[in-house]
Amino acid sequence: MDVKIDESWKEKLQQEFDKPYFLSLASFVKAEYASTTVYPRAKEIFAAFEHCKFNEVKVVILGQDPYHGEGQANGLCFSVNDGVKPPPSLVNIFKEIRNDLGKPMPNSGNLVRWADQGVLLLNATLTVRASSPGSHQNKGWEQFTDTAIKALSDQRENLVFVLWGAYAQKKGEVIDRNKHFVIMSPHPSPFSADRGFFGSKPFSKTNEYLRSKGLKEIDW
């Protein structure tokens, strides 16, 4: 099956595209786009991979589902399109950046500026039906994104994996802690941010690690 994904990733993930689960997933997603409103736009499903070539990834942040509101999702976890009001979790992320690094709150919640520096903003599930959170879970996306994470863990070194919340932390169990730096804390959601996300300093910790490995820091 020919999937429109960045060539550097296609090389690593090609074997997935012909497996029964992915063929079933592709059929399901295609039918959903044809019959209802699905986010993000079809051309943005693999945006996280398009902005971060396999060998240019430095940091991985794991999300769960794309935003399901109109105009929000752009294929990068936690990110929204320009002009869209940042959702509460993203506001809390920006608050932690302000407290951690002293940077002002940005004017836009579009995190493409992070992605273009090597931050893979990867949701576990890459599509969702409008106004229906979790509607595309357990259809095969999770297996596909698990494979992408494992490929990074096995074939790269000195990456930073940022795992916010129990879901991301369980998904990150495949990461080789001997080769990579893993940062874990509660999720930035308003329901959990006060239980250890605020004050966890993931952004300065990421940059300290990158600096220690002679790598360029992320301009958060």
Side-chain angles (χ1 to χ4, degrees):
M1 182 178 185
D2 185 33
V3 175
K4 292 184 173 63
I5 191 170
D6 179 80
E7 286 298 325
S8 69
W9 282 99
K10 182 176 280 191
E11 177 190 340
K12 305 297 180 182
L13 301 173
Q14 184 63 56
Q15 63 201 25
E16 298 301 298
F17 300 143
D18 295 318
K19 290 182 178 178
Y21 89 87
F22 195 89
L23 296 173
S24 174
L25 168 66
S27 178
F28 166 77
V29 170
K30 187 175 182 180
E32 285 282 284
Y33 273 97
S35 63
T36 187
T37 301
V38 177
Y39 300 124
R41 294 180 297 176
K43 68 179 184 179
E44 294 174 329
I45 292 174
F46 297 110
F49 300 97
E50 297 296 332
H51 285 280
C52 284
K53 297 186 187 306
F54 184 83
N55 288 321
E56 294 175 1
V57 174
K58 295 196 288 188
V59 182
V60 181
I61 297 179
L62 294 184
Q64 189 165 354
D65 247 19
Y67 294 124
H68 56 85
E70 183 178 357
Q72 290 182 305
N74 61 10
L76 308 174
C77 75
F78 295 104
S79 175
V80 291
N81 285 309
D82 291 323
V84 175
K85 182 181 178 182
S89 290
L90 183 54
V91 171
N92 285 341
I93 289 169
F94 289 152
K95 285 180 180 177
E96 179 61 15
I97 290 173
R98 182 183 63 194
N99 296 335
D100 186 8
L101 302 174
K103 299 188 69 167
M105 300 285 278
N107 295 322
S108 172
N110 194 335
L111 304 182
V112 68
R113 62 186 183 277
W114 295 2
D116 288 339
Q117 297 177 75
V119 182
L120 182 69
L121 296 164
L122 184 64
N123 276 316
T125 304
L126 300 187
T127 54
V128 69
R129 196 179 305 157
S131 305
S132 186
S135 51
H136 286 191
Q137 290 178 3
N138 303 314
K139 302 294 184 182
W141 278 132
E142 294 91 343
Q143 184 174 340
F144 174 73
T145 51
D146 280 349
T147 302
I149 293 164
K150 192 164 191 328
L152 286 168
S153 176
D154 291 350
Q155 299 176 42
R156 295 286 312 281
E157 293 183 352
N158 302 329
L159 300 181
V160 180
F161 289 86
V162 181
L163 310 178
W164 290 325
Y167 183 90
Q169 288 159 21
K170 182 166 181 55
K171 194 170 180 68
E173 287 176 355
V174 299
I175 300 163
D176 185 345
R177 265 68 169 178
N178 294 316
K179 295 168 59 182
H180 306 287
F181 182 46
V182 177
I183 297 173
M184 298 195 296
S185 81
H187 195 276
S189 158
F191 300 108
S192 55
D194 287 327
R195 298 204 295 267
F197 172 75
F198 289 134
S200 62
K201 300 185 180 298
F203 308 101
S204 61
K205 287 176 181 176
T206 293
N207 280 347
E208 285 167 12
Y209 179 81
L210 292 174
R211 195 163 57 241
S212 76
K213 299 298 180 182
L215 299 169
K216 187 177 180 181
E217 300 175 25
I218 304 299
D219 179 7
W220 301 105

